[in-house]
Amino acid sequence: MASIGKSSFDLANILTKRKILKPRCYMYSKYKIYSKDIWNEHPYDWRARTIARIVENYEYCGHMVSNKNYKVSYKSKRLLPTDKKNWIIVKNTHDAIISEDLFNKANERIKRRKRVFKNKERNMFSGIIRCATYGKALSLFNGAKGVSHFACSQYRSFGKSYCSCHYIRYDTLCKTVEDDIKYHINLVTNDKDKLIKDLLAKYNINNQVSIDFKRLERRKEELKVILKRMYEDMILGKVSEIMYNEISKEYEIELTKISDKIEESSKLNKDRNELGNSITKFIDEVSKYSLNDSLSKELLNKLIKEIRVHESEVIDGKRVQNVEIIYNFMP
């Protein structure tokens, strides 16, 4: 149908009306995998994006395709598309579902129907802005009177039964993010100690004085020796079994408490050290910018890992909306 001019949106509507199971819902119905409540609640609601991915999948022609995505860093889970010229294609590895001619014809039709939005280059938040409910991408739209805004792509595709709108104006988001970045730039420039203290508090890492590990380890070894000697004395008849059980129980309780305290403090120190390294990297990156730098896609990608937009709520008659900004290098 794509080869005769049907759009991805048209095909999604056709499959939805015919009640054809979506790919993952079909896999769940047959093999009980890919289970997710929201998919099982709406098993026939196809998206245009899903159709487009199927139509553009070259593997249906009988070829194996790899290296389609890459990671910016081994620390990041985010995948970016690889240029098609760098794809690794091994032909005729399995039976083809469609002919290559039909594949090319369908993709040519789909390609012709795609619109290029004038505001696309303005969306500097592309790839990093998501709704806080399900982690779905927020798409940019031109609203009434030319006011650009973001809305959850899942809400736009399927409605409120899937997700809420997560509406936020483009200019509002720009100001919110810019103010937060400048706040951190100002702290890095003028008050690093406050920034470090705030970040430690945010991630629940306090500045407790480290315990004396050497003293605890020494006491731990002492208790082991005492318990061993007491056991030997009991075997030799120097100490009664009743006395041994009574005293050894107290020592074992103390030994357990010491071991737990050492383990807990070791984890706390490890977390503190890891966060300290992350904070150092974050400060080094932020220090490259000044308060005069304007917001740009390059600056956003350098500093920010993800922006999560929560649904707005009305508190005391005022509209309030939480916007989480997760910076690079931070947990």
Side-chain angles (χ1 to χ4, degrees):
M1 286 188 280
S3 64
I4 60 174
K6 293 287 186 183
S7 69
S8 297
F9 184 77
D10 293 333
L11 293 174
N13 285 336
I14 291 170
L15 293 177
T16 299
K17 288 177 182 177
R18 292 183 181 179
K19 293 193 173 182
I20 305 297
L21 286 171
K22 295 183 294 186
R24 295 210 171 194
C25 291
Y26 172 78
M27 293 294 287
Y28 176 72
S29 67
K30 192 167 184 179
Y31 303 110
K32 300 302 178 186
I33 59 174
Y34 297 127
S35 173
K36 196 172 184 180
D37 290 342
I38 197 165
W39 292 337
N40 297 330
E41 288 173 12
H42 310 277
Y44 310 113
D45 291 348
W46 284 77
R47 299 183 68 178
R49 185 182 298 176
T50 304
I51 299 296
R53 286 175 179 169
I54 292 173
V55 173
E56 295 170 359
N57 194 339
Y58 194 43
E59 293 179 1
Y60 293 142
C61 294
H63 314 311
M64 184 178 72
V65 183
S66 59
N67 197 43
K68 292 193 288 186
N69 301 291
Y70 71 96
K71 287 185 177 180
V72 179
S73 166
Y74 72 92
K75 294 181 179 180
S76 173
K77 294 181 180 180
R78 185 181 169 197
L79 291 175
L80 297 177
T82 306
D83 195 300
K84 286 188 177 182
K85 66 182 180 181
N86 294 323
W87 284 7
I88 299 173
I89 301 174
V90 182
K91 295 201 169 186
N92 303 317
T93 56
H94 52 274
D95 293 335
I97 296 176
I98 60 170
S99 67
E100 202 145 340
D101 288 340
L102 183 59
F103 175 83
N104 292 332
K105 188 175 180 181
N107 276 275
E108 185 61 32
R109 291 280 188 178
I110 291 288
K111 188 177 179 181
R112 287 178 187 173
R113 296 183 67 93
K114 284 185 178 179
R115 293 181 293 167
V116 178
F117 295 97
K118 292 180 180 179
N119 66 354
K120 190 171 182 180
E121 68 275 7
R122 290 176 50 231
N123 186 9
M124 68 180 81
F125 300 100
S126 176
I128 62 173
I129 181 171
R130 300 195 171 273
C131 84
T133 306
Y134 293 111
K136 296 296 181 180
L138 296 191
S139 302
L140 181 62
F141 299 93
N142 280 326
K145 299 180 181 180
V147 177
S148 297
H149 68 275
F150 285 99
C152 178
S153 57
Q154 187 150 271
Y155 169 84
R156 296 281 299 197
S157 297
F158 303 125
K160 61 183 179 181
S161 60
Y162 270 73
C163 195
S164 53
C165 183
H166 292 87
Y167 174 95
I168 186 169
R169 286 177 50 145
Y170 186 88
D171 54 357
T172 301
L173 181 65
C174 284
K175 186 177 187 312
T176 301
V177 174
E178 187 172 28
D179 288 348
D180 197 73
I181 289 175
K182 286 186 175 181
Y183 169 77
H184 286 92
I185 291 174
N186 183 54
L187 283 181
V188 168
T189 306
N190 301 310
D191 197 348
K192 285 184 184 179
D193 290 339
K194 183 180 185 310
L195 175 61
I196 293 171
K197 184 179 178 181
D198 289 348
L199 290 173
L200 288 172
K202 179 180 178 182
Y203 293 100
N204 201 26
I205 302 293
N206 55 37
N207 289 315
Q208 292 177 353
V209 178
S210 297
I211 63 172
D212 188 347
F213 281 100
K214 289 184 178 179
R215 181 180 61 81
L216 288 178
E217 288 288 356
R218 189 164 57 248
R219 178 57 179 165
K220 184 178 177 181
E221 292 304 315
E222 286 175 359
L223 288 172
K224 288 180 179 179
V225 172
I226 291 171
L227 286 168
K228 183 179 178 181
R229 287 177 178 173
M230 282 188 63
Y231 179 75
E232 290 174 349
D233 288 344
M234 183 195 69
I235 296 297
L236 295 173
K238 295 180 180 179
V239 177
S240 68
E241 186 176 349
I242 296 175
M243 181 65 71
Y244 168 77
N245 290 334
E246 185 177 336
I247 298 176
S248 64
K249 187 176 180 180
E250 295 178 3
Y251 283 136
E252 285 171 356
I253 291 172
E254 183 183 355
L255 183 61
T256 300
K257 287 181 179 179
I258 289 175
S259 298
D260 290 344
K261 193 171 184 180
I262 290 173
E263 185 179 350
E264 182 183 346
S265 298
S266 296
K267 185 179 182 302
L268 180 64
N269 277 350
K270 182 181 177 183
D271 291 344
R272 187 187 291 117
N273 290 336
E274 288 179 355
L275 183 58
N277 291 334
S278 298
I279 291 173
T280 300
K281 291 177 182 177
F282 175 67
I283 289 174
D284 289 343
E285 193 63 42
V286 172
S287 63
K288 297 176 184 177
Y289 301 94
S290 71
L291 294 174
N292 296 323
D293 289 324
S294 57
L295 202 61
S296 66
K297 189 171 183 65
E298 180 185 359
L299 187 148
L300 286 172
N301 288 329
K302 286 283 187 180
L303 294 181
I304 295 176
K305 183 190 301 179
E306 188 174 283
I307 298 171
R308 297 171 188 163
V309 178
H310 292 253
E311 186 57 50
S312 63
E313 53 184 334
V314 177
I315 300 176
D316 296 331
K318 294 183 179 180
R319 183 179 183 271
V320 179
Q321 189 166 25
N322 181 24
V323 177
E324 286 183 78
I325 301 174
I326 295 91
Y327 286 92
N328 286 324
F329 308 112
M330 302 308 296

